[in-house]
Amino acid sequence: MEKIVWDDKYKIGVEVVDKAHAKLFRITNKLFEISQDASVNQAAYGEGIKYLEAYTMTHFSEEEAYMRSIRYSGYAEHKRLHDNFRNKTLVSLKRDLELSNYSSSAIQRFVGIMGNWLTEHIMLEDQAIVGKAVRQKKRDRSSQIDIISRTVNRTVQDVLQAETKLVSTDYKGQNIGNGYYCCQYYDMGGGVMLQLLLGVEDILFLRGIERIPGLRKREMTESDILHVFKQLFEKMGRLFKVETEPEFGMENLLDRDQFRKEFMKGCPCSLLFGTRSGALVFCYRSWREKR
């Protein structure tokens, strides 16, 4: 990730809110800085995370009080977003940190997600409080995400021998560390196409590679990488009731830049999962082919 830079465009014109946002930027950036310093111990990371969490909760309370004072019509939905971040996203992120023993990559994932959530929330939700933006209602995908999460967890347990925990339902394309990336296309019939994107952090991916017979006697090849991804896609494709498995070859493998390019085409569902061994990204998009 890159540092998030405080700028006047983030100001909503309410002093107590703007000061809190600027401070959250500083705290988030400080955490990113210490994640780059190998001399910083686990205790320092833990204290920094606790401070960020405590200040975020204080800010939420102050912002909610302001919304009530002006009888903001979008208060209930805005508070729901705060509650969801506090009770789900933050809980999952903290668990990911603990499982990784506060590794540098996990700290960076935490800070990256925090920075992305903060900037988007300010520009879309907080600006709407004072009429600087129009808040758009988002489609409720909670039931869909729950089904996908269970499928991903079963697949990762079968193929990579790891249990997943949903960390974020709004992955923004931030780096997950060194990893392997792949995509697959499905023809769903009637001109509808589906694309699945997977990104798996290297330590987690190697758990699947190690299950390939005879691998320890030779070097890992692209065919080995493809073998693991093929298993992942075969199981995850069933989620979309894919009847015929499409061809799968080297052209499906992506590097990080190619993955980001595909991701930026727009994915209505982009999920980030954590495990003891590393992160996994699951995204999909669909479209209708022009005839």
Side-chain angles (χ1 to χ4, degrees), residues 194-209:
L194 171 74
Q195 181 191 35
L196 297 188
L197 287 167
L198 288 180
V200 186
E201 200 163 358
D202 55 3
I203 300 176
L204 174 59
F205 192 85
L206 289 174
R207 297 188 65 159
I209 290 289

Side-chain angles (χ1 to χ4, degrees), residues 108-199:
Q108 290 178 39
R109 279 198 299 274
F110 177 96
V111 174
I113 292 170
M114 181 69 190
N116 285 325
W117 187 90
L118 181 61
T119 53
E120 181 178 347
H121 185 78
I122 291 172
M123 296 303 291
L124 294 180
E125 304 297 337
D126 293 342
Q127 296 279 2
I129 297 173
V130 293
K132 290 186 176 181
V134 178
R135 185 177 63 80
Q136 297 180 349
K137 290 186 177 180
K138 295 183 180 180
R139 179 181 172 188
D140 185 5
R141 298 181 179 274
S142 56
S143 60
Q144 179 189 49
I145 289 172
D146 184 55
I147 294 170
I148 292 174
S149 296
R150 291 199 301 268
T151 300
V152 169
N153 191 46
R154 286 197 301 269
T155 298
V156 174
Q157 285 181 333
D158 291 345
V159 180
L160 304 178
Q161 296 182 320
E163 183 176 352
T164 65
K165 179 70 174 179
L166 183 61
V167 173
S168 173
T169 59
D170 195 22
Y171 170 76
K172 293 295 186 183
Q174 63 270 27
N175 291 338
I176 59 172
N178 294 326
Y180 297 90
Y181 303 90
C182 198
C183 73
Q184 179 61 300
Y185 295 91
Y186 302 88
D187 187 341
M188 306 300 288
V192 177
M193 298 296 296
L194 171 74
Q195 181 191 35
L196 297 188
L197 287 167
L198 288 180

